[in-house]
Amino acid sequence: MARVSQAHLDARRRQILDGARRAFLRNGFHAASMQDVLKETGLSAGAVYRYFGSKEEIVAAVAGEALQTVLSSFDFAGAAEVPLAPDELFAEVFGRVEKAIGAGEDSRELPRLLVQVWAEALRSPQLAEVVAEAYGQLRFQWCRLVDTYKEHGWVDREVDTEHVARTLIGAVQGYFVQQALFGGMTKDDFREGLRGLVSMALPREGVEVTPREH
């Protein structure tokens, strides 16, 4: 029997994941059946089960790829000698995400998939582990970045690093949720909105504020 090349094995696995992703985007992780997955891949059940033991394994693999796309887009941030400010950083990251999913593809595909991943993680212990691992990596990346901001005097050294990091992660998640549900928000829109927030001159405790005259 002729040996199957690694390139062939990789291509077949890619075929399965791409088809499964389409099925999950259309019907959701929970509602999509293995028959839906098989129909999208154009493969037999035996061919698919050679690579994945269950639908749950396919879900975990598709989810892992989606999360890795986001994580990889943040990798460059830690390598910069002088970090980008959050508004510029997010615009750069979202641009890298768009490039990673491919020019001309539906820009809402990845956000929609991420929202499904987060929702499914609430009911699937296997997927919850995948999400928790990715979140741990992202939190580490951002804590390191916030510490760099502190070193440059951009963030108060007394502020809890993890609190700032998790707030920034929340902003990223919010961007993807809005894109998934409503669309219509570009990376430049997000950058300008965040820039407006970080430039706010807020009154501090003990400082009297004089109301504006209308």
Side-chain angles (χ1 to χ4, degrees), residues 54 77 85 205 207:
S54 65
E205 185 176 352
V207 178

Side-chain angles (χ1 to χ4, degrees), residues 3 8 10 26 28 50 53 64 66 71 73 85 93 139 159 168 174:
R3 293 185 61 185
H8 174 82
D10 292 343
R26 185 176 62 250
R50 178 181 179 184
L71 287 171
S73 298
V93 166
R139 188 171 59 185
V159 174
L168 291 171

Side-chain angles (χ1 to χ4, degrees), residues 194-208:
L194 185 58
R195 182 175 295 168
L197 283 177
V198 298
S199 65
M200 290 173 64
L202 298 176
R204 303 301 177 187
E205 185 176 352
V207 178
E208 184 177 349

Side-chain angles (χ1 to χ4, degrees), residues 73 89-101 175 187:
S73 298
L89 178 61
F90 284 151
E92 176 70 19
V93 166
F94 296 148
R96 287 170 180 256
V97 168
E98 290 175 1
K99 184 177 181 179
I101 63 177
Y175 172 83
K187 62 182 185 296

Side-chain angles (χ1 to χ4, degrees), residues 18-39:
D18 288 345
R21 186 178 66 250
R22 291 191 296 270
F24 295 149
L25 280 168
R26 185 176 62 250
N27 298 324
F29 286 131
H30 190 55
S33 65
M34 276 302 295
Q35 287 302 316
D36 294 325
V37 172
L38 295 176
K39 182 177 180 180

Side-chain angles (χ1 to χ4, degrees), residues 1-94:
M1 182 180 294
R3 293 185 61 185
V4 178
S5 70
Q6 186 60 47
H8 174 82
L9 295 174
D10 292 343
R12 184 54 56 87
R13 187 175 191 277
R14 180 76 269 149
Q15 181 181 354
I16 295 169
L17 292 177
D18 288 345
R21 186 178 66 250
R22 291 191 296 270
F24 295 149
L25 280 168
R26 185 176 62 250
N27 298 324
F29 286 131
H30 190 55
S33 65
M34 276 302 295
Q35 287 302 316
D36 294 325
V37 172
L38 295 176
K39 182 177 180 180
E40 285 292 341
T41 62
L43 299 173
S44 67
V48 171
Y49 283 122
R50 178 181 179 184
Y51 295 84
F52 299 96
S54 65
K55 190 186 88 170
E56 286 68 28
E57 285 188 17
I58 301 176
V59 168
V62 170
E65 283 196 342
L67 295 167
Q68 189 58 48
T69 297
V70 178
L71 287 171
S72 298
S73 298
F74 279 99
D75 283 345
F76 77 99
E81 185 174 342
V82 178
L84 294 174
D87 55 340
E88 295 293 343
L89 178 61
F90 284 151
E92 176 70 19
V93 166
F94 296 148

Side-chain angles (χ1 to χ4, degrees), residues 29 113-124 127 131:
F29 286 131
L113 191 58
L114 288 171
V115 170
Q116 288 195 51
V117 169
W118 297 329
E120 186 71 9
L122 297 176
R123 60 170 297 278
S124 168
L127 190 53
V131 172

Side-chain angles (χ1 to χ4, degrees), residues 165-181:
R166 294 184 70 169
T167 299
L168 291 171
I169 292 171
V172 175
Q173 291 175 312
Y175 172 83
F176 285 128
V177 169
Q178 288 196 54
Q179 283 293 83
L181 295 177

